[in-house]
Amino acid sequence: MLRVVYDGAPSAGKTTNVQRLHEGLLAKRDGRLESPGTSGRRTEWFDRREFFGGYLDGMPVRCELLSVPGQAHLTRRRHALLRDADAVVLVLDATRPETHAASYASLLQPGLDPARVVVQLNKCDLATPDENEVRRRLDLPPSTLVSCADAASGEGVGSTFLSAVRLATEHARQALSRGELPALERPRDAAALWATLHAEERPELPAHWHPVGEVVPLVVRRVLAAAIPSTSTRAWALEGSYEWVGAGFVVHHHPSWRFDDIDVAWRELAAHLGPHRFAVTSPTGETFVLTRDAPTLLEEVDACLEADEAPTALSRLLHAWEGLTHVRGHAVVRVASAACVDGAWVHLGLGTTTPASSRGLSASLRASLESHGAWPELWNPRAMST
Ligand SMILES: Nc1nc2c(ncn2[C@@H]2O[C@H](COP(=O)(O)OP(=O)(O)OP(=O)(O)O)[C@@H](O)[C@H]2O)c(=O)[nH]1
Ligand SMILES: [Mg+2]
């Protein structure tokens, strides 16, 4: 698989280029545009569009078009995506010439061959850059192509891309002539690429620990010693978490869970803790949350409904309801006053009165219960609060 990567400073227009290609030049070629882990405007992981690139020496070639995250704190992730690039389009924001030299230096830093780079001066609708001046300032090799584009309108986007695809093909042809087929090793799709990057960034479980709150050190040590990394995380975990599984527990870590003060860690993570959830911090301050490895009520109910066992699903829900009313009446009232019965209620079973998640009881689960005649009055929020 050939890889063409769009690199550049934050907001230079990398994603916009990929979007224009997806809607334009590649529109008639099969393939989806995917941006896993990105919910806002700024790319968090990558944008990826796969497409069939034709034949190389009689062999069918699949290609992936990627754009990297430009934000400085994601440089390690950016370099991991660039490491395997057959060609790179360096997108420079024509309105911000002061960023150009640093962008080019950062692109070459992992050891990328400058001969595989095409430079695109983007946002040419807002500025009129002097290409020769850019060449001189970046000390570009004479063979490097410099193009002008306005990715917002799509002007110049296709021609830059085709130049990069030509470079990538040439690079692959040279590799083939040396008898190499490195591209076969690459992750097959966006999910596999995401999992690979995620696994590479996963921190190590430290060897020494401080107990926080109600921790039983022996249990914790046993769990951590047996825990092995998992490639996916539970649906209820915070977005961007890492997970290890072992000894009947799941261990979670989120990059933001780094605290210099144990009391602060305890306070910040209180919402994630309870009778079956513990927190431990490493001496360097990374905090990990251990949760018993049991399905949530929502997962149990989903599984029952998938197996067409609505009565069992209903009895699980009613059982949980009774338990909550008995043990934590105040928590039930609190949630009952919310607009709907949602995932927060489900997580209350783990013993916290603070919603751990704002995910709703899914519309499909609700519809499924209703279609089985299994939607009792109890679930009406107004009925619940009385
Ligand atoms: N006027 C103008 N605006 C552009 C152009 N290209 C991109 N933009 C705008 O610039 C902003 C940033 O574009 P993105 O494509 O999200 O930038 P990015 O490089 O992917 O940014 P990160 O993912 O944060 O690294 C958006 O508001 C785009 O609409 C262009 O050629 N002209
Ligand atoms: Mg982007």
Side-chain angles (χ1 to χ4, degrees):
M1 186 185 301
L2 291 190
R3 177 179 285 185
V4 176
V5 184
Y6 277 68
D7 184 50
S11 299
K14 303 175 289 293
T15 299
T16 310
N17 264 278
V18 174
Q19 284 167 344
R20 290 297 94 83
L21 290 165
H22 175 63
E23 296 156 1
L25 204 64
L26 298 175
K28 291 208 170 70
R29 302 203 178 200
D30 282 348
R32 284 181 300 161
L33 174 56
E34 293 171 276
S35 306
T38 294
S39 45
R41 191 183 60 73
R42 315 198 75 172
T43 307
E44 289 288 330
W45 291 86
F46 53 83
D47 307 295
R48 182 182 186 275
R49 170 60 154 93
E50 191 175 324
F51 61 99
F52 175 61
Y55 293 87
L56 182 65
D57 293 348
M59 289 203 305
V61 182
R62 284 192 306 147
C63 299
E64 66 179 352
L65 162 62
L66 293 177
S67 81
V68 302
Q71 296 176 77
H73 71 281
L74 300 175
T75 298
R76 188 171 152 212
R77 189 174 291 171
R78 206 183 113 238
H79 281 163
L81 289 160
L82 284 164
R83 197 171 48 209
D84 275 344
D86 293 292
V88 177
V89 175
L90 175 63
V91 183
L92 299 176
D93 184 337
T95 66
R96 299 187 61 214
E98 73 282 4
T99 62
H100 295 179
S103 281
Y104 189 53
S106 179
L107 166 63
L108 299 186
Q109 191 204 332
L112 190 92
D113 178 359
R116 269 190 256 159
V117 179
V118 172
V119 174
Q120 180 193 67
L121 289 161
N122 188 35
K123 307 196 184 181
C124 285
D125 54 319
L126 302 177
T128 317
D130 177 345
E131 288 177 27
N132 289 327
E133 167 64 15
V134 173
R135 267 185 189 289
R136 200 187 47 74
R137 224 174 330 118
L138 301 187
D139 195 19
L140 294 175
S143 59
T144 301
L145 183 100
V146 180
S147 67
C148 271
D150 162 12
S153 74
E155 181 91 32
V157 167
S159 56
T160 314
F161 174 65
L162 291 174
S163 304
V165 171
R166 269 195 295 276
L167 276 189
T169 314
E170 189 47 41
H171 177 243
R173 202 186 299 279
Q174 285 167 9
L176 274 177
S177 69
R178 292 192 300 270
E180 295 167 11
L181 279 175
L184 290 179
E185 305 293 322
R186 283 186 186 142
R188 297 177 50 247
D189 52 30
L193 178 59
W194 186 81
T196 306
L197 290 175
H198 207 255
E200 277 178 21
E201 290 184 19
R202 180 195 312 279
E204 291 284 310
L205 282 179
H208 304 288
W209 302 90
H210 292 308
V212 179
E214 310 161 47
V215 181
V216 186
L218 265 179
V219 172
V220 170
R221 261 200 289 278
R222 192 160 53 80
V223 171
L224 295 169
I228 54 163
S230 158
T231 49
S232 58
T233 47
R234 309 289 145 129
W236 44 260
L238 282 183
E239 173 107 22
S241 293
Y242 297 93
E243 178 174 318
W244 295 258
V245 185
F249 279 81
V250 191
V251 184
H252 274 104
H253 174 70
H254 189 269
S256 65
W257 292 352
R258 199 185 169 289
F259 307 99
D260 293 329
D261 182 329
I262 285 179
D263 290 333
V264 175
W266 176 240
R267 240 194 346 267
E268 291 289 317
L269 293 178
H272 301 278
L273 306 178
H276 301 297
R277 291 188 164 204
F278 312 124
V280 283
T281 70
S282 72
T284 49
E286 278 90 19
T287 303
F288 297 74
V289 171
L290 282 68
T291 309
R292 217 163 54 164
D293 190 5
T296 61
L297 181 58
L298 188 58
E299 284 161 352
E300 274 187 44
V301 169
D302 265 335
C304 290
L305 290 171
E306 250 168 50
D308 217 14
E309 289 170 8
T312 318
L314 181 57
S315 96
R316 281 296 298 122
L317 285 167
L318 288 175
H319 182 73
W321 171 263
E322 282 157 14
L324 283 172
T325 314
H326 181 65
V327 180
R328 290 181 181 269
H330 64 286
V332 172
V333 172
R334 196 179 119 83
V335 173
S337 64
C340 64
V341 179
D342 68 7
W345 181 84
V346 172
H347 283 272
L348 284 174
L350 295 164
T352 165
T353 51
T354 311
S357 153
S358 59
R359 278 182 318 131
L361 192 65
S362 68
S364 62
L365 170 56
R366 219 177 265 224
S368 193
L369 278 167
E370 277 172 338
S371 73
H372 285 88
W375 191 257
E377 269 304 289
L378 196 57
W379 303 108
N380 177 329
R382 270 197 306 277
M384 283 167 69
S385 53
T386 54

